[in-house]
Amino acid sequence: MAVFKGFPQDTLPFLGELKANNNKAWFNENKPRYEALVREPALAFIESMSDGLTEISPHFRAIAKKVGGSLMRVYRDTRFANDKTPYKTNIGIQFRHELGKDVHAPGFYLHIEPDGCFIGAGIWHPESKTLGQIRSFMDDNPAAWNKAVKAAAFAKQFTLEGESLKRPPRGFTVDHPLIDDLKRKDFIAIKSIDAEAIHSPRFTQSVLKDFRRTDAFMRYLCTAINVNY
């Protein structure tokens, strides 16, 4: 595996070109550029994250594989989508929990795209059973939730985003102190980052530092769904 030296300066322009030419013929013709500007540096980045991620939590995995690892596939699943363009125009990297098999598992996330780069942590679109566990745990442990999401290092850098219910979930009243958070369908924390940062050889250390800021939040979610952190 190559040593990570930062994503090349041409990575974001290439993703912009892919967005403007999102078809199989163009992608096949430019596959060597995809390998050099996207996949190879992404895999080197994932490899560079391994030791530091283990220090944060030994239960999350940095898997530097072309298929089936931390790098998300470039091919879009268009079966049920109105948008039939075949390729994703961003780099998505998810460091999933060892027990997770898909993007709905607890994880740390990096998103690279010309329109915006960001770091994420949490659980996206949890299944109903998992969602129920989180809500029940929040109801039983409200003080720990508030402490996790209002901690200065976290609150100054990250915002909670994602979809929410319009009405309180079953079993909870509209006047519950945590009703806005209980209505969430996603429990994800997002921090926007400067696109220029991805080109630095110290990008790994920067991302790990941000992941550490989500420690209490991630620990809370893992405890809520009974998985080790």
Side-chain angles (χ1 to χ4, degrees), residues 160-175:
L160 295 181
E161 298 188 11
E163 297 181 11
S164 292
L165 297 170
K166 293 183 178 180
R167 294 184 175 87
R170 183 176 298 178
F172 298 98
T173 60
V174 69
D175 60 350

Side-chain angles (χ1 to χ4, degrees), residues 89-111:
T89 56
N90 67 276
I91 301 171
I93 297 173
Q94 190 189 40
F95 303 99
R96 291 195 293 269
H97 193 278
E98 62 189 357
L99 297 181
K101 297 180 180 179
D102 56 37
V103 296
H104 307 286
F108 298 97
Y109 180 70
L110 171 66
H111 184 96

Side-chain angles (χ1 to χ4, degrees), residues 14 17-18 21-37 75 87:
F14 173 81
E17 289 181 54
L18 176 57
N21 302 275
N22 200 328
N23 61 78
K24 187 175 181 181
W26 186 92
F27 187 78
N28 286 343
E29 184 178 343
N30 288 273
K31 188 72 175 291
R33 294 176 64 210
Y34 168 76
E35 293 289 341
L37 299 174
Y75 304 100
Y87 304 106

Side-chain angles (χ1 to χ4, degrees), residues 115-224:
D115 292 338
C117 301
F118 63 84
I119 286 169
I123 306 178
W124 180 74
H125 284 13
E127 60 182 17
S128 58
K129 177 183 176 181
T130 301
L131 195 53
Q133 287 177 299
I134 296 171
R135 288 172 176 160
S136 179
F137 193 76
M138 288 174 63
D139 189 36
D140 291 338
N141 301 274
W145 170 257
N146 283 322
K147 184 177 180 181
V149 298
K150 293 179 180 179
F154 177 82
K156 289 181 180 179
Q157 301 283 339
F158 287 84
T159 57
L160 295 181
E161 298 188 11
E163 297 181 11
S164 292
L165 297 170
K166 293 183 178 180
R167 294 184 175 87
R170 183 176 298 178
F172 298 98
T173 60
V174 69
D175 60 350
H176 192 290
L178 295 180
I179 193 58
D180 288 340
D181 288 327
L182 288 167
K183 286 161 64 176
R184 295 184 183 279
K185 295 195 288 184
D186 299 307
F187 287 87
I188 50 176
I190 299 295
K191 176 191 175 181
S192 295
I193 58 173
D194 184 353
E196 283 300 310
I198 73 170
H199 305 306
S200 169
R202 294 192 56 78
F203 185 52
T204 299
Q205 287 71 32
S206 175
V207 173
L208 287 169
K209 184 176 181 179
D210 282 328
F211 283 176
R212 290 188 188 97
R213 290 189 171 106
T214 71
D215 183 82
F217 173 71
M218 289 292 286
R219 188 181 299 275
Y220 190 95
L221 292 178
C222 287
T223 303

